[in-house]
Amino acid sequence: MTMTEKYKIIAKFVKDISSETPNVDTYLFVKDNISNYSLNIDIKSSALKPKIIQVETTLKYSDKSQNTKKSFFEMVYATVIRINEDFDKKELGKIVLCDVQNEIYPELEKIFLNIMHGSGFPELKFNKKINFEELYKNNQN
């Protein structure tokens, strides 16, 4: 059974997006210190109806240091999927945390980077590709 036979994406959209830089001093500081920022991902899911699940993938790009001058970037991306059969909880978790993420992530990253570029950080790139299989495995332990 292939990924697309296990589930079907029936909707995907940006649910919430935020880019905050309070002033020009902060902007100039962040521009010089953007290398201190790191990308965090959080994935939540909830059943909307039987066999219909909404998956919310949150990307946060933030500075964990004690700097007072910070910008804040966050996007919540919702993906609604229809599960094509009954799966046990573990298999369902793998679909939500790996399969769906692998399918939507390229588009999600593109949207998020467009927002970052439009927010005054045109040179920003995420060099590290996210390995959702690895994240899932590490989460199981």
Side-chain angles (χ1 to χ4, degrees):
M1 188 181 289
T2 65
M3 301 303 163
T4 49
E5 289 171 359
K6 290 181 183 179
Y7 69 91
K8 179 178 178 19
I9 292 177
I10 49 180
K12 51 188 177 173
F13 57 96
V14 173
K15 183 175 176 188
D16 187 28
I17 199 155
S18 181
S19 168
E20 298 169 26
T21 302
N23 53 45
V24 72
D25 286 346
T26 300
Y27 170 71
L28 294 171
F29 181 83
V30 171
K31 212 164 166 53
D32 289 340
N33 294 280
I34 197 88
S35 60
N36 295 338
Y37 280 63
S38 59
L39 184 66
N40 287 312
I41 294 186
D42 185 41
I43 302 165
K44 293 186 179 106
S45 64
S46 56
L48 300 178
K49 294 178 179 168
K51 294 192 189 264
I52 305 287
I53 298 171
Q54 178 169 310
V55 181
E56 287 185 4
T57 307
T58 302
L59 297 184
K60 262 188 200 157
Y61 198 60
S62 57
D63 182 354
K64 297 273 187 263
S65 72
Q66 297 304 308
N67 295 328
T68 52
K69 294 179 181 174
K70 292 184 183 185
S71 289
F72 176 79
F73 309 101
E74 182 178 89
M75 180 172 80
V76 180
Y77 192 80
T79 309
V80 180
I81 61 171
R82 180 186 304 113
I83 301 298
N84 293 334
E85 59 179 86
D86 290 322
F87 292 104
D88 65 24
K89 201 171 176 168
K90 191 171 179 173
E91 181 65 21
L92 205 53
K94 191 172 186 315
I95 289 170
V96 165
L97 298 171
C98 295
D99 303 346
V100 171
Q101 299 307 317
N102 283 328
E103 189 171 339
I104 65 167
Y105 189 75
E107 183 179 352
L108 191 106
E109 183 181 81
K110 191 173 147 202
I111 294 166
F112 196 56
L113 279 171
N114 281 339
I115 296 301
M116 302 283 298
H117 295 165
S119 299
F121 303 93
E123 62 292 323
L124 187 70
K125 289 182 190 69
F126 299 136
N127 296 326
K128 215 170 121 208
K129 283 292 163 234
I130 295 162
N131 184 334
F132 289 102
E133 305 285 332
E134 203 173 282
L135 283 176
Y136 175 72
K137 282 185 188 119
N138 292 344
N139 242 352
Q140 295 305 299
N141 301 334

